[in-house]
Amino acid sequence: MTRRWRGTALFGVVLASLGAALWAKTTSAESATVAEKPKTSQSPSSSASASKTKPSSSTSSSSSPSRSPNSSPSSTSASTSPTSSATASATSPGNAVVDGNAVDTPYGPVEVEVTWQSGSITKVDLLQYPSGSGRDIAINQYALPILAQEVIQSQSAQINTVSGATFTSIGYIQSLQSAIDKKG
Amino acid sequence: MGRIALRTLITLGGIGVLALWWTGAIPGFTATPALTVTTFGELVGLIAGYLVCVQVLLIARIPWFERGVGLDRLVSWHRSVGTTVIFLVMTHIAFMMLGGMLADGKNPVGEYISILSAYQDMWWATIGTLVFFVVGLTSARLLKSLLPYEWWYWIHVTTYIAIFLTFLHQVSSGTNFVAHPVPRAIWILMYVGTALCVVWWRALLPLVRFARHDWTVATVVPESPRAVSVWIKGNDIEDLGIRAGNFMMFRFLTWRHIWSAHPYSISAPPYQGHLRITVADLGNHSGALRDIRPGTKVIVEGPHGSFTAERAKRQQLVLIAGGAGIGPIAALARDFAGRGFNSVVIYRARDVDDMALLDEVRGLPGTRLIVAPGRRSDLGFDPLAPEHLSSLVPDIRGREAFLCGPEPMMDTATHSLHALGVRRIHAEEMSFA
């Protein structure tokens, strides 16, 4: 008689285990974030080993209705660029806004728009990114601000891909590189 | 113990899948509720994909599993894991949909359409999943009892196609596999390995054995109005290690029977190149064995099951047969008698006319046969209730029990034996598969 419910019981056990695994992963991710936080705040512009998870929490809270692609981490750009007051001088030599190529990925094209101020990248906006499904949007809302953060920190297209969004990352990097090349 | 070893192995595999997920999961998946829900949905999908392989391997006739656990129990596990898989698949779909809807605010239909178009192989996955649900439904106890065995069997066989169809979206769209070549290779190997096991042990080996043993129906003997014995001969079948109490899968090569293989218990193990099965009129197929002609070729798989005399630790036994369960019980009684053990055989059937192999059991040395015919509703009592059982076999407490019969009878008998303090109970369920 008990065998009748064995499959259902097993489902319950499996689901509970998976929930526990998810929780364990969450807590381990959170502790990693907490551990790396002081490091990034001490050296905001130069740390090459910046935490990947840290900016996600800051950008998602600051720009939570980020349904529009223009969800670049403006909060971080303020801290990294001391010349943020010079936004109006778009014609001065170090300032430019350049669109990268639209790069195809299996999930759709990625196209970035890079803003330079006084010769350094201060902002990466997205003109296009894969948003064919809610899952794509969920992943990219998380991944793209991290990529933008990495770009502003490294001032180049030499950045790590974001795990879970590899194809988008690669498309992002290629589009970014094309923008950098265009600016010359 | 093979059972514990296999359970441990399956659990370790599950932990391996968790590790694979752990290393490949998006690090900051708690950033938004949508991403968290989606990540959980993917994890559930991964485990479901793993358990599908487990389920198939359980019934792939792998000799190591067969010896350690026994096919009857493996099939029962297969059933339970099947229920789990169906629920996990539902959970996977629900969470993937919910995660997407949280991110883009679409309704379920719109979200489903966007998932279909955004990812590869989602149409195939949809078809495969629908087949899964049909298979799950037709295997649920109620519907399965209403369906002819052949229908159930063929619906069930389509599961292999469904598994392949759902496998495609896992490797082409799964977060843990896209752009993760090593986990992807492991996953593909797992599925290919499973497929090879099935092809070898379920398809090729039986054919090789068929060619070698050349199984052929020798004679068909009616045992009662509702039971028939089929004698099957073959070359070197003594080498197969077929014992009393084993069962084998039989596919009779006639136009009517070729479509499905049936499990039947051996009612007489191989002797001089012949073995015997005794089959009751249980369903469309079984009843039709009367019409099998001598000379018909048979594909035989097995032996399976661990319901054999080797399992007995005592020399005093009580064997309880219900209906067609007399086949293996008669063979076991003969085996025990040959070992000089003392057996009491209790034989339950609806009608005395349905009873088969009575004379065969009655004449065995050291064996007492108790015949208990009649429906419970007509008798007004259950002969297998504890009080009746103890009056039929006063020294039952010191005996080891072997049971074979339909599920309700087995439940009653097991319950009564427990109540009477019988500890060692071996059971072979007939409503197998």
Short mmCIF file of all heavy atoms in Angstrom, two decimals, chain A residues 1 3-4 6-7 10-11 14 18-19 21-22 24-26 28-29 67 107 132-139 142 163-164 166-167, chain B residues 21-22 26-30 35 38 40 42-43 47 76-77 80 84 87-88 91 96 100 103-104 111 114 119 173 175 178-179 429:
data_model
loop_
_atom_site.label_atom_id
_atom_site.label_comp_id
_atom_site.label_asym_id
_atom_site.label_seq_id
_atom_site.Cartn_x
_atom_site.Cartn_y
_atom_site.Cartn_z
N MET A 1 0.84 -1.20 0.00
CA MET A 1 0.00 0.00 0.00
C MET A 1 0.87 1.25 0.00
O MET A 1 0.61 2.20 -0.71
CB MET A 1 -0.91 0.01 1.24
CG MET A 1 -1.98 -1.06 1.21
SD MET A 1 -2.97 -1.05 -0.29
CE MET A 1 -4.38 -0.10 0.22
N ARG A 3 3.64 1.52 -1.27
CA ARG A 3 4.32 1.66 -2.56
C ARG A 3 3.56 2.59 -3.49
O ARG A 3 4.13 3.20 -4.37
CB ARG A 3 4.44 0.29 -3.20
CG ARG A 3 5.87 -0.01 -3.61
CD ARG A 3 5.96 -1.33 -4.29
NE ARG A 3 5.41 -2.39 -3.47
CZ ARG A 3 5.08 -3.57 -3.97
NH1 ARG A 3 5.23 -3.81 -5.26
NH2 ARG A 3 4.61 -4.51 -3.20
N ARG A 4 2.25 2.67 -3.31
CA ARG A 4 1.43 3.54 -4.15
C ARG A 4 1.90 4.97 -4.12
O ARG A 4 1.81 5.68 -5.09
CB ARG A 4 -0.01 3.53 -3.65
CG ARG A 4 -0.75 2.43 -4.30
CD ARG A 4 -2.09 2.19 -3.69
NE ARG A 4 -2.46 0.88 -4.13
CZ ARG A 4 -3.45 0.63 -4.99
NH1 ARG A 4 -4.19 1.61 -5.41
NH2 ARG A 4 -3.70 -0.57 -5.40
N ARG A 6 4.98 5.93 -3.16
CA ARG A 6 6.43 6.02 -3.10
C ARG A 6 6.97 7.03 -4.10
O ARG A 6 7.86 7.82 -3.78
CB ARG A 6 7.05 4.64 -3.35
CG ARG A 6 8.48 4.57 -2.90
CD ARG A 6 8.98 3.15 -2.83
NE ARG A 6 9.00 2.55 -4.15
CZ ARG A 6 9.32 1.29 -4.39
NH1 ARG A 6 9.61 0.48 -3.38
NH2 ARG A 6 9.33 0.80 -5.60
N GLY A 7 6.40 7.02 -5.33
CA GLY A 7 6.86 7.95 -6.35
C GLY A 7 6.61 9.40 -5.94
O GLY A 7 7.47 10.27 -6.11
N LEU A 10 8.99 10.28 -3.17
CA LEU A 10 10.33 10.50 -3.73
C LEU A 10 10.42 11.88 -4.36
O LEU A 10 11.42 12.59 -4.21
CB LEU A 10 10.65 9.41 -4.75
CG LEU A 10 12.04 9.44 -5.38
CD1 LEU A 10 13.10 9.23 -4.32
CD2 LEU A 10 12.17 8.36 -6.46
N PHE A 11 9.34 12.26 -5.05
CA PHE A 11 9.28 13.60 -5.65
C PHE A 11 9.46 14.66 -4.56
O PHE A 11 10.23 15.60 -4.72
CB PHE A 11 7.96 13.78 -6.38
CG PHE A 11 7.65 15.21 -6.76
CD1 PHE A 11 8.39 15.85 -7.73
CD2 PHE A 11 6.62 15.88 -6.14
CE1 PHE A 11 8.11 17.16 -8.08
CE2 PHE A 11 6.32 17.18 -6.48
CZ PHE A 11 7.07 17.83 -7.45
N VAL A 14 13.06 14.67 -3.40
CA VAL A 14 13.95 15.26 -4.40
C VAL A 14 13.79 16.78 -4.43
O VAL A 14 14.76 17.53 -4.41
CB VAL A 14 13.66 14.65 -5.80
CG1 VAL A 14 14.37 15.45 -6.89
CG2 VAL A 14 14.11 13.20 -5.86
N LEU A 18 16.56 19.62 -3.69
CA LEU A 18 16.93 20.64 -4.67
C LEU A 18 16.75 22.03 -4.06
O LEU A 18 17.57 22.93 -4.28
CB LEU A 18 16.09 20.50 -5.94
CG LEU A 18 16.25 19.19 -6.70
CD1 LEU A 18 15.50 19.23 -8.01
CD2 LEU A 18 17.71 18.87 -6.94
N GLY A 19 15.68 22.20 -3.30
CA GLY A 19 15.47 23.47 -2.62
C GLY A 19 16.63 23.76 -1.68
O GLY A 19 17.15 24.89 -1.64
N ALA A 21 19.65 22.59 -1.97
CA ALA A 21 20.84 22.89 -2.79
C ALA A 21 20.81 24.34 -3.25
O ALA A 21 21.82 25.04 -3.20
CB ALA A 21 20.89 21.94 -3.98
N LEU A 22 19.63 24.78 -3.66
CA LEU A 22 19.50 26.16 -4.13
C LEU A 22 19.81 27.14 -3.00
O LEU A 22 20.52 28.13 -3.17
CB LEU A 22 18.08 26.40 -4.65
CG LEU A 22 17.87 27.70 -5.42
CD1 LEU A 22 18.34 27.52 -6.85
CD2 LEU A 22 16.42 28.12 -5.41
N ALA A 24 21.64 26.51 -0.36
CA ALA A 24 23.08 26.43 -0.05
C ALA A 24 23.88 27.28 -1.04
O ALA A 24 24.78 28.02 -0.66
CB ALA A 24 23.54 24.98 -0.09
N LYS A 25 23.49 27.18 -2.30
CA LYS A 25 24.20 27.94 -3.34
C LYS A 25 23.98 29.44 -3.12
O LYS A 25 24.91 30.24 -3.28
CB LYS A 25 23.65 27.50 -4.70
CG LYS A 25 24.27 28.20 -5.88
CD LYS A 25 25.56 27.55 -6.33
CE LYS A 25 26.07 28.22 -7.59
NZ LYS A 25 27.52 28.17 -7.68
N THR A 26 22.75 29.80 -2.75
CA THR A 26 22.45 31.21 -2.48
C THR A 26 23.32 31.75 -1.37
O THR A 26 23.94 32.81 -1.51
CB THR A 26 20.97 31.35 -2.06
OG1 THR A 26 20.17 30.70 -3.02
CG2 THR A 26 20.56 32.80 -1.96
N SER A 28 26.10 30.56 -0.24
CA SER A 28 27.53 30.59 -0.58
C SER A 28 27.82 31.77 -1.51
O SER A 28 28.85 32.43 -1.39
CB SER A 28 27.95 29.28 -1.23
OG SER A 28 27.60 29.26 -2.59
N ALA A 29 26.88 32.08 -2.41
CA ALA A 29 27.07 33.23 -3.30
C ALA A 29 27.04 34.54 -2.52
O ALA A 29 27.84 35.43 -2.75
CB ALA A 29 25.98 33.23 -4.37
N ARG A 67 13.40 47.26 -17.77
CA ARG A 67 12.87 46.55 -18.94
C ARG A 67 13.51 47.13 -20.20
O ARG A 67 13.73 46.44 -21.17
CB ARG A 67 11.36 46.73 -19.02
CG ARG A 67 10.61 46.08 -17.88
CD ARG A 67 10.30 44.64 -18.23
NE ARG A 67 9.45 44.59 -19.41
CZ ARG A 67 8.15 44.85 -19.38
NH1 ARG A 67 7.56 45.18 -18.26
NH2 ARG A 67 7.44 44.78 -20.48
N TYR A 107 20.76 33.64 -29.53
CA TYR A 107 19.51 34.10 -28.92
C TYR A 107 19.05 35.43 -29.46
O TYR A 107 18.05 35.97 -29.01
CB TYR A 107 19.69 34.18 -27.39
CG TYR A 107 20.13 32.88 -26.79
CD1 TYR A 107 21.35 32.77 -26.16
CD2 TYR A 107 19.32 31.75 -26.87
CE1 TYR A 107 21.76 31.55 -25.63
CE2 TYR A 107 19.72 30.54 -26.36
CZ TYR A 107 20.95 30.44 -25.73
OH TYR A 107 21.34 29.25 -25.21
N GLY A 132 14.17 37.48 -26.34
CA GLY A 132 13.09 36.72 -26.97
C GLY A 132 12.16 36.09 -25.98
O GLY A 132 10.99 35.87 -26.24
N SER A 133 12.67 35.79 -24.80
CA SER A 133 11.81 35.17 -23.79
C SER A 133 12.11 35.81 -22.45
O SER A 133 13.12 36.50 -22.28
CB SER A 133 12.07 33.67 -23.70
OG SER A 133 13.31 33.45 -23.05
N GLY A 134 11.24 35.55 -21.49
CA GLY A 134 11.44 36.08 -20.16
C GLY A 134 12.75 35.59 -19.57
O GLY A 134 13.42 36.31 -18.83
N ARG A 135 13.12 34.33 -19.92
CA ARG A 135 14.36 33.78 -19.36
C ARG A 135 15.56 34.58 -19.87
O ARG A 135 16.45 34.92 -19.10
CB ARG A 135 14.46 32.32 -19.77
CG ARG A 135 15.74 31.64 -19.35
CD ARG A 135 15.63 30.15 -19.64
NE ARG A 135 16.88 29.43 -19.47
CZ ARG A 135 17.54 28.85 -20.46
NH1 ARG A 135 17.10 28.95 -21.70
NH2 ARG A 135 18.64 28.18 -20.22
N ASP A 136 15.54 34.91 -21.18
CA ASP A 136 16.62 35.73 -21.73
C ASP A 136 16.69 37.06 -21.01
O ASP A 136 17.77 37.53 -20.64
CB ASP A 136 16.37 36.00 -23.22
CG ASP A 136 16.70 34.81 -24.08
OD1 ASP A 136 17.41 33.92 -23.57
OD2 ASP A 136 16.25 34.76 -25.23
N ILE A 137 15.53 37.69 -20.84
CA ILE A 137 15.50 38.99 -20.18
C ILE A 137 16.05 38.86 -18.77
O ILE A 137 16.89 39.66 -18.35
CB ILE A 137 14.06 39.55 -20.18
CG1 ILE A 137 13.62 39.81 -21.63
CG2 ILE A 137 13.98 40.81 -19.34
CD1 ILE A 137 12.17 40.20 -21.77
N ALA A 138 15.60 37.81 -18.07
CA ALA A 138 16.05 37.64 -16.68
C ALA A 138 17.56 37.47 -16.63
O ALA A 138 18.24 38.09 -15.79
CB ALA A 138 15.35 36.42 -16.06
N ILE A 139 18.09 36.63 -17.54
CA ILE A 139 19.54 36.39 -17.52
C ILE A 139 20.29 37.66 -17.90
O ILE A 139 21.27 38.05 -17.26
CB ILE A 139 19.90 35.24 -18.48
CG1 ILE A 139 19.36 33.91 -17.92
CG2 ILE A 139 21.41 35.15 -18.68
CD1 ILE A 139 19.52 32.74 -18.85
N TYR A 142 20.58 40.55 -15.57
CA TYR A 142 21.60 40.28 -14.57
C TYR A 142 23.01 40.45 -15.16
O TYR A 142 23.88 41.08 -14.57
CB TYR A 142 21.40 38.89 -14.00
CG TYR A 142 22.67 38.27 -13.47
CD1 TYR A 142 23.19 38.66 -12.24
CD2 TYR A 142 23.35 37.29 -14.19
CE1 TYR A 142 24.36 38.11 -11.76
CE2 TYR A 142 24.51 36.73 -13.72
CZ TYR A 142 25.01 37.14 -12.50
OH TYR A 142 26.15 36.60 -12.03
N SER A 163 29.21 33.84 -16.57
CA SER A 163 28.75 32.46 -16.57
C SER A 163 27.22 32.43 -16.65
O SER A 163 26.55 33.17 -15.94
CB SER A 163 29.21 31.78 -15.29
OG SER A 163 28.74 30.47 -15.26
N GLY A 164 26.71 31.60 -17.52
CA GLY A 164 25.27 31.51 -17.70
C GLY A 164 24.79 32.39 -18.84
O GLY A 164 23.66 32.25 -19.30
N THR A 166 27.02 33.16 -21.65
CA THR A 166 28.28 33.16 -22.41
C THR A 166 28.11 33.74 -23.80
O THR A 166 28.89 34.59 -24.24
CB THR A 166 28.83 31.74 -22.50
OG1 THR A 166 28.81 31.16 -21.20
CG2 THR A 166 30.25 31.73 -23.03
N PHE A 167 27.09 33.31 -24.51
CA PHE A 167 26.92 33.77 -25.89
C PHE A 167 26.64 35.27 -25.94
O PHE A 167 27.20 36.00 -26.76
CB PHE A 167 25.79 33.00 -26.59
CG PHE A 167 26.21 31.61 -27.00
CD1 PHE A 167 25.35 30.54 -26.81
CD2 PHE A 167 27.45 31.39 -27.58
CE1 PHE A 167 25.73 29.27 -27.19
CE2 PHE A 167 27.84 30.12 -27.96
CZ PHE A 167 26.97 29.06 -27.76
N TRP B 21 25.48 21.20 -11.70
CA TRP B 21 24.66 22.41 -11.67
C TRP B 21 25.37 23.51 -10.89
O TRP B 21 25.44 24.66 -11.31
CB TRP B 21 23.31 22.10 -11.02
CG TRP B 21 22.54 23.33 -10.67
CD1 TRP B 21 21.82 24.11 -11.53
CD2 TRP B 21 22.43 23.95 -9.39
NE1 TRP B 21 21.28 25.17 -10.86
CE2 TRP B 21 21.65 25.10 -9.55
CE3 TRP B 21 22.93 23.63 -8.13
CZ2 TRP B 21 21.34 25.94 -8.48
CZ3 TRP B 21 22.63 24.47 -7.07
CH2 TRP B 21 21.84 25.61 -7.25
N TRP B 22 25.93 23.11 -9.74
CA TRP B 22 26.57 24.07 -8.83
C TRP B 22 27.66 24.85 -9.55
O TRP B 22 27.77 26.08 -9.42
CB TRP B 22 27.16 23.30 -7.64
CG TRP B 22 27.67 24.16 -6.54
CD1 TRP B 22 28.85 24.82 -6.50
CD2 TRP B 22 27.01 24.44 -5.30
NE1 TRP B 22 28.98 25.50 -5.33
CE2 TRP B 22 27.87 25.29 -4.56
CE3 TRP B 22 25.79 24.06 -4.74
CZ2 TRP B 22 27.53 25.75 -3.29
CZ3 TRP B 22 25.47 24.53 -3.48
CH2 TRP B 22 26.33 25.37 -2.77
N ILE B 26 24.38 30.27 -12.85
CA ILE B 26 24.70 31.68 -12.90
C ILE B 26 25.02 32.15 -11.49
O ILE B 26 24.21 31.97 -10.58
CB ILE B 26 23.51 32.47 -13.48
CG1 ILE B 26 23.23 32.00 -14.91
CG2 ILE B 26 23.78 33.96 -13.44
CD1 ILE B 26 22.00 32.58 -15.51
N PRO B 27 26.20 32.73 -11.26
CA PRO B 27 26.63 33.02 -9.88
C PRO B 27 25.65 33.91 -9.12
O PRO B 27 25.35 33.66 -7.97
CB PRO B 27 27.98 33.71 -10.06
CG PRO B 27 28.41 33.42 -11.44
CD PRO B 27 27.21 33.14 -12.26
N GLY B 28 25.16 34.96 -9.77
CA GLY B 28 24.31 35.89 -9.02
C GLY B 28 22.83 35.66 -9.28
O GLY B 28 22.09 36.60 -9.52
N PHE B 29 22.41 34.38 -9.19
CA PHE B 29 21.02 34.11 -9.59
C PHE B 29 20.00 34.64 -8.60
O PHE B 29 18.81 34.58 -8.85
CB PHE B 29 20.80 32.61 -9.85
CG PHE B 29 20.94 31.77 -8.61
CD1 PHE B 29 19.88 31.60 -7.74
CD2 PHE B 29 22.14 31.12 -8.33
CE1 PHE B 29 20.00 30.82 -6.61
CE2 PHE B 29 22.27 30.34 -7.20
CZ PHE B 29 21.20 30.19 -6.34
N THR B 30 20.47 35.14 -7.47
CA THR B 30 19.50 35.71 -6.53
C THR B 30 19.24 37.19 -6.84
O THR B 30 18.50 37.84 -6.12
CB THR B 30 20.02 35.60 -5.09
OG1 THR B 30 21.38 36.06 -5.07
CG2 THR B 30 19.96 34.18 -4.60
N LEU B 35 15.19 35.41 -11.97
CA LEU B 35 16.38 34.60 -12.20
C LEU B 35 16.46 33.45 -11.20
O LEU B 35 16.87 32.34 -11.55
CB LEU B 35 17.63 35.49 -12.11
CG LEU B 35 18.86 34.98 -12.85
CD1 LEU B 35 18.54 34.68 -14.30
CD2 LEU B 35 19.98 36.02 -12.78
N THR B 38 13.92 30.85 -12.32
CA THR B 38 14.41 30.19 -13.52
C THR B 38 15.53 29.21 -13.17
O THR B 38 15.56 28.08 -13.68
CB THR B 38 14.95 31.24 -14.51
OG1 THR B 38 13.92 32.19 -14.75
CG2 THR B 38 15.36 30.61 -15.81
N PHE B 40 16.05 27.65 -10.37
CA PHE B 40 15.48 26.47 -9.72
C PHE B 40 14.81 25.57 -10.75
O PHE B 40 14.95 24.35 -10.71
CB PHE B 40 14.49 26.88 -8.63
CG PHE B 40 14.01 25.71 -7.81
CD1 PHE B 40 14.88 25.04 -6.98
CD2 PHE B 40 12.70 25.28 -7.89
CE1 PHE B 40 14.46 23.96 -6.22
CE2 PHE B 40 12.26 24.20 -7.15
CZ PHE B 40 13.15 23.53 -6.31
N GLU B 42 15.62 25.21 -13.81
CA GLU B 42 16.67 24.49 -14.55
C GLU B 42 17.24 23.35 -13.74
O GLU B 42 17.49 22.26 -14.25
CB GLU B 42 17.77 25.48 -14.95
CG GLU B 42 17.38 26.28 -16.17
CD GLU B 42 18.25 27.51 -16.38
OE1 GLU B 42 19.07 27.82 -15.50
OE2 GLU B 42 18.09 28.14 -17.43
N LEU B 43 17.43 23.59 -12.45
CA LEU B 43 17.94 22.53 -11.56
C LEU B 43 16.97 21.35 -11.54
O LEU B 43 17.39 20.19 -11.65
CB LEU B 43 18.14 23.11 -10.16
CG LEU B 43 18.55 22.15 -9.05
CD1 LEU B 43 19.84 21.44 -9.40
CD2 LEU B 43 18.70 22.89 -7.73
N ILE B 47 17.71 17.39 -12.83
CA ILE B 47 17.51 16.16 -12.05
C ILE B 47 16.49 15.25 -12.75
O ILE B 47 16.65 14.04 -12.79
CB ILE B 47 17.06 16.52 -10.61
CG1 ILE B 47 18.25 17.11 -9.83
CG2 ILE B 47 16.50 15.32 -9.88
CD1 ILE B 47 19.34 16.10 -9.47
N SER B 76 9.42 -2.16 -10.09
CA SER B 76 8.67 -1.38 -9.11
C SER B 76 9.36 -0.04 -8.84
O SER B 76 8.69 1.00 -8.74
CB SER B 76 8.54 -2.24 -7.85
OG SER B 76 8.38 -1.46 -6.72
N TRP B 77 10.67 -0.04 -8.81
CA TRP B 77 11.41 1.23 -8.66
C TRP B 77 11.19 2.10 -9.89
O TRP B 77 11.02 3.31 -9.79
CB TRP B 77 12.92 0.96 -8.52
CG TRP B 77 13.33 0.36 -7.22
CD1 TRP B 77 12.51 -0.17 -6.26
CD2 TRP B 77 14.66 0.20 -6.74
NE1 TRP B 77 13.25 -0.65 -5.22
CE2 TRP B 77 14.58 -0.44 -5.48
CE3 TRP B 77 15.92 0.52 -7.24
CZ2 TRP B 77 15.70 -0.75 -4.73
CZ3 TRP B 77 17.04 0.21 -6.47
CH2 TRP B 77 16.93 -0.42 -5.23
N SER B 80 8.04 3.91 -9.55
CA SER B 80 8.08 5.01 -8.57
C SER B 80 8.87 6.18 -9.12
O SER B 80 8.44 7.34 -9.02
CB SER B 80 8.72 4.53 -7.27
OG SER B 80 7.95 3.50 -6.71
N THR B 84 7.90 10.22 -10.02
CA THR B 84 8.74 11.35 -9.63
C THR B 84 9.11 12.20 -10.85
O THR B 84 9.03 13.42 -10.81
CB THR B 84 10.03 10.84 -8.95
OG1 THR B 84 9.66 9.89 -7.96
CG2 THR B 84 10.82 11.96 -8.33
N PHE B 87 6.28 14.39 -12.14
CA PHE B 87 6.08 15.56 -11.29
C PHE B 87 7.21 16.57 -11.45
O PHE B 87 6.99 17.78 -11.45
CB PHE B 87 5.95 15.15 -9.82
CG PHE B 87 4.64 14.49 -9.49
CD1 PHE B 87 4.54 13.57 -8.47
CD2 PHE B 87 3.49 14.80 -10.21
CE1 PHE B 87 3.33 12.95 -8.16
CE2 PHE B 87 2.28 14.18 -9.92
CZ PHE B 87 2.21 13.26 -8.90
N LEU B 88 8.44 16.06 -11.59
CA LEU B 88 9.58 16.97 -11.76
C LEU B 88 9.47 17.72 -13.08
O LEU B 88 9.78 18.91 -13.15
CB LEU B 88 10.90 16.20 -11.69
CG LEU B 88 11.34 15.70 -10.31
CD1 LEU B 88 12.59 14.85 -10.41
CD2 LEU B 88 11.58 16.86 -9.36
N THR B 91 7.04 20.43 -12.64
CA THR B 91 7.64 21.49 -11.84
C THR B 91 8.61 22.32 -12.68
O THR B 91 8.62 23.55 -12.60
CB THR B 91 8.39 20.88 -10.63
OG1 THR B 91 7.54 19.94 -10.00
CG2 THR B 91 8.81 21.95 -9.65
N MET B 96 10.02 27.35 -15.15
CA MET B 96 10.58 28.06 -16.29
C MET B 96 9.60 29.12 -16.79
O MET B 96 9.96 30.24 -17.14
CB MET B 96 10.93 27.09 -17.43
CG MET B 96 12.01 26.08 -17.12
SD MET B 96 13.48 26.74 -16.33
CE MET B 96 14.25 27.55 -17.70
N GLY B 100 10.09 33.25 -16.48
CA GLY B 100 9.98 34.10 -17.66
C GLY B 100 8.91 35.16 -17.49
O GLY B 100 9.10 36.33 -17.84
N ALA B 103 9.89 38.03 -15.50
CA ALA B 103 10.83 38.94 -16.15
C ALA B 103 10.16 39.80 -17.21
O ALA B 103 10.46 40.99 -17.32
CB ALA B 103 11.98 38.15 -16.77
N ASP B 104 9.27 39.21 -17.99
CA ASP B 104 8.71 40.00 -19.10
C ASP B 104 7.23 40.33 -18.94
O ASP B 104 6.65 41.00 -19.79
CB ASP B 104 8.99 39.32 -20.44
CG ASP B 104 8.31 37.97 -20.57
OD1 ASP B 104 7.44 37.65 -19.75
OD2 ASP B 104 8.67 37.23 -21.50
N GLU B 111 4.06 33.68 -22.88
CA GLU B 111 5.37 33.25 -22.41
C GLU B 111 5.77 31.94 -23.10
O GLU B 111 6.91 31.78 -23.53
CB GLU B 111 5.36 33.07 -20.89
CG GLU B 111 6.71 32.77 -20.28
CD GLU B 111 7.74 33.85 -20.60
OE1 GLU B 111 7.36 35.03 -20.58
OE2 GLU B 111 8.90 33.51 -20.88
N SER B 114 6.83 32.58 -26.56
CA SER B 114 8.15 33.20 -26.65
C SER B 114 9.25 32.17 -26.35
O SER B 114 10.31 32.20 -26.96
CB SER B 114 8.24 34.41 -25.72
OG SER B 114 8.30 34.00 -24.38
N TYR B 119 14.17 29.48 -28.12
CA TYR B 119 15.16 28.42 -27.91
C TYR B 119 14.99 27.30 -28.91
O TYR B 119 13.90 27.00 -29.37
CB TYR B 119 15.05 27.87 -26.48
CG TYR B 119 15.21 28.95 -25.46
CD1 TYR B 119 14.14 29.39 -24.71
CD2 TYR B 119 16.45 29.58 -25.30
CE1 TYR B 119 14.29 30.42 -23.81
CE2 TYR B 119 16.60 30.60 -24.40
CZ TYR B 119 15.53 31.03 -23.66
OH TYR B 119 15.67 32.05 -22.78
N SER B 173 19.78 24.09 -25.21
CA SER B 173 19.31 25.30 -24.54
C SER B 173 19.60 25.37 -23.06
O SER B 173 19.36 26.39 -22.44
CB SER B 173 17.79 25.46 -24.74
OG SER B 173 17.48 25.43 -26.10
N THR B 175 21.18 26.05 -19.62
CA THR B 175 22.19 27.00 -19.15
C THR B 175 23.49 26.29 -18.76
O THR B 175 24.58 26.81 -18.98
CB THR B 175 21.66 27.76 -17.93
OG1 THR B 175 20.47 28.40 -18.31
CG2 THR B 175 22.66 28.78 -17.42
N VAL B 178 25.03 24.92 -22.55
CA VAL B 178 25.40 25.84 -23.62
C VAL B 178 26.71 26.50 -23.22
O VAL B 178 26.83 27.06 -22.14
CB VAL B 178 24.29 26.89 -23.81
CG1 VAL B 178 24.77 28.00 -24.72
CG2 VAL B 178 23.05 26.25 -24.39
N ALA B 179 27.70 26.39 -24.08
CA ALA B 179 29.02 27.00 -23.84
C ALA B 179 29.74 26.40 -22.64
O ALA B 179 30.67 26.99 -22.12
CB ALA B 179 28.92 28.51 -23.69
N GLU B 429 5.33 -10.40 -7.15
CA GLU B 429 4.03 -9.89 -7.58
C GLU B 429 3.78 -10.28 -9.01
O GLU B 429 4.68 -10.25 -9.84
CB GLU B 429 4.05 -8.37 -7.45
CG GLU B 429 2.72 -7.82 -7.11
CD GLU B 429 2.84 -6.32 -6.87
OE1 GLU B 429 3.20 -5.92 -5.76
OE2 GLU B 429 2.58 -5.60 -7.83
#
